[in-house]
Amino acid sequence: MASPSEFDIIKRYFSFSSASADSAKRLPVPLLGVGDDAAVLPPSDLPLIVATDTLNETVHFPKYFPARHLASRAMGVNLSDFAAMGARPRWITMALSLPTLDTAWLAEFSGQFESLCQQYQLALVGGDTTKAPLAISLTVIGEAINGDYLRRSGAQVGDDIWVSGSLGKGAAALTLEIHKADAFCSELTASDRDDLLASYYAPLPQLALGQGLLGLASAAIDISDGLIADANHIAEKSLVGLQIEAERLPIHSAVRCNNDVAQMQHWVLAGGDEYELLFTAPPAKAETIQALAKSLAVDCTLIGKVVEGSGVELVGSEWQSANQRGYQHF
Ligand code: ADP
Ligand code: MG
């Protein structure tokens, strides 16, 4: 049997948005989707929001990473940027580099990708498929709800600093997944282990929280490079200082159990891959934010204050903020 061509692959594995548009009525329908030289999208009255993220094998995920996890991780990481903008994703394109045409791999990957598109009501409208070391780059296109969106700039002196979820899990999960090491916690429970690995395989983008924060938060970012590094982005863009109280940081229970205190602190302050939202808001909004968090069943913790000055300062403990710059590619 002749091996499938690039066009067979695209037709078989990446044309599901045109096929499923009718059955799943909630999916947006492009004017022209996969199969032409470019996609054509219907006009929107709202400002468009666009974000791209690339995942390369051995840089962003290990060799032999299961196809379904790659689909989930790529989608989660990309949608996390939309969460940080408080935006609604609608369309997606995919640049996929494959070293070989492995139909079993493609079936698993596209099956998971399609179910995520259904879950998030996204239409895959185009892409590119090439032969090269395994990599996936997604571009998500969406709209600013009511014309509004969150930014890194906008934090005001006196604002509270908040973080969603728990911290340190990205780095702990990496230790588990890449180094197959769980010795950092002698009492790691099965549920903590599952939780850590799930957060690595399928980061959960805080889309509902981000959208709920429109009109409440003064600035926001998603934590992909590490708490301190990403807090610094808000400080720089907003021309303020961020004062974070180490004692208040919500540390994941599996991370808190790490006996190596220096490593535990490093995971919390500089570990990337958290995909939680870090945001600022006036103190007058605190109750509304707590109510929002409760209604979404997402923890939101107040961790500090926006102050005059610049940079990020960690206060009130023995914690060292030196050398906690976070992940940098270069
Ligand atoms: P061209 O050579 O004109 O760039 P391609 O052969 O690369 O066209 O792609 C054919 C069609 O398939 C295009 O509509 C493109 O957007 C789509 N496509 C290619 N790869 C993917 C993919 N991985 N996911 C979704 N659509 C894809
Ligand atoms: Mg092409």
Side-chain angles (χ1 to χ4, degrees):
M1 197 178 80
S3 57
S5 71
E6 178 194 332
F7 305 106
D8 297 333
I9 293 292
I10 294 165
K11 215 166 166 182
R12 196 181 315 163
Y13 299 107
F14 298 111
S15 300
F16 52 78
S17 286
S18 21
S20 60
D22 289 335
S23 53
K25 291 238 160 33
R26 289 150 69 208
L27 285 182
V29 182
L31 299 177
L32 201 54
V34 168
D36 216 300
D37 289 309
V40 182
L41 307 178
S44 170
D45 292 340
L46 299 169
L48 296 177
I49 310 246
V50 182
T52 298
D53 253 305
T54 301
L55 270 66
N56 290 292
E57 188 177 65
T58 72
V59 180
H60 303 96
F61 60 94
K63 251 185 164 355
Y64 311 115
F65 199 51
R68 64 186 183 285
H69 294 334
L70 182 60
S72 298
R73 191 162 162 73
M75 185 70 100
V77 166
N78 276 263
L79 291 183
S80 181
D81 283 329
F82 261 65
M85 302 299 292
R88 180 193 296 126
R90 288 176 62 77
W91 319 100
I92 190 160
T93 65
M94 176 199 309
L96 188 61
S97 298
L98 300 170
T100 55
L101 281 188
D102 176 342
T103 50
W105 190 97
L106 276 162
E108 181 182 325
F109 176 82
S110 76
Q112 178 66 5
F113 202 85
E114 178 175 1
S115 74
L116 290 165
C117 283
Q118 299 272 3
Q119 182 183 333
Y120 292 111
Q121 298 168 46
L122 276 166
L124 177 66
V125 294
D128 200 16
T129 306
T130 52
K131 186 169 182 203
L134 187 60
I136 173 169
S137 182
L138 299 179
T139 295
V140 181
I141 303 162
E143 12 179 76
I145 297 167
N146 298 323
D148 197 9
Y149 47 90
L150 305 172
R151 287 177 257 197
R152 297 177 178 187
S153 59
Q156 303 288 327
V157 173
D159 281 354
D160 293 325
I161 305 170
W162 296 82
V163 72
S164 69
S166 65
L167 297 171
K169 59 187 181 308
L174 206 62
T175 305
L176 265 185
E177 169 65 19
I178 309 270
H179 306 296
K180 308 290 177 209
D182 59 7
F184 64 84
C185 172
S186 50
E187 293 137 32
L188 194 65
T189 63
S191 95
D192 268 348
R193 169 184 289 269
D194 291 349
D195 196 43
L196 287 182
L197 289 177
S199 79
Y200 186 74
Y201 297 149
L204 210 65
Q206 298 285 1
L207 283 166
L209 177 63
Q211 293 173 11
L213 287 172
L214 291 171
L216 297 174
S218 51
I221 191 169
D222 68 316
I223 304 178
S224 53
D225 295 335
L227 173 70
I228 301 291
D230 288 315
N232 251 309
H233 291 310
I234 290 188
E236 275 177 22
K237 290 278 183 187
S238 299
L239 303 174
V240 292
L242 264 59
Q243 203 171 66
I244 293 177
E245 290 180 54
E247 303 299 337
R248 288 179 179 256
L249 294 174
I251 302 172
H252 191 281
S253 53
V255 175
R256 196 180 282 282
C257 141
N258 189 341
N259 302 320
D260 180 342
V261 174
Q263 185 183 58
M264 190 275 281
Q265 293 182 354
H266 188 74
W267 284 357
V268 170
L269 299 177
D273 290 333
E274 303 280 23
Y275 304 109
E276 297 295 347
L277 294 187
L278 177 71
F279 57 96
T280 60
K285 306 285 191 193
E287 260 179 48
T288 315
I289 289 170
Q290 290 289 19
L292 171 71
K294 197 166 170 211
S295 75
L296 297 173
V298 176
D299 289 331
C300 282
T301 310
L302 210 160
I303 60 167
K305 279 271 174 215
V306 178
V307 296
E308 276 176 33
S310 63
V312 179
E313 188 193 3
L314 196 68
V315 293
S317 82
E318 312 283 290
W319 286 46
Q320 293 297 312
S321 54
N323 297 320
Q324 310 280 15
R325 283 198 317 165
Y327 187 77
Q328 298 191 332
H329 278 278
F330 299 101

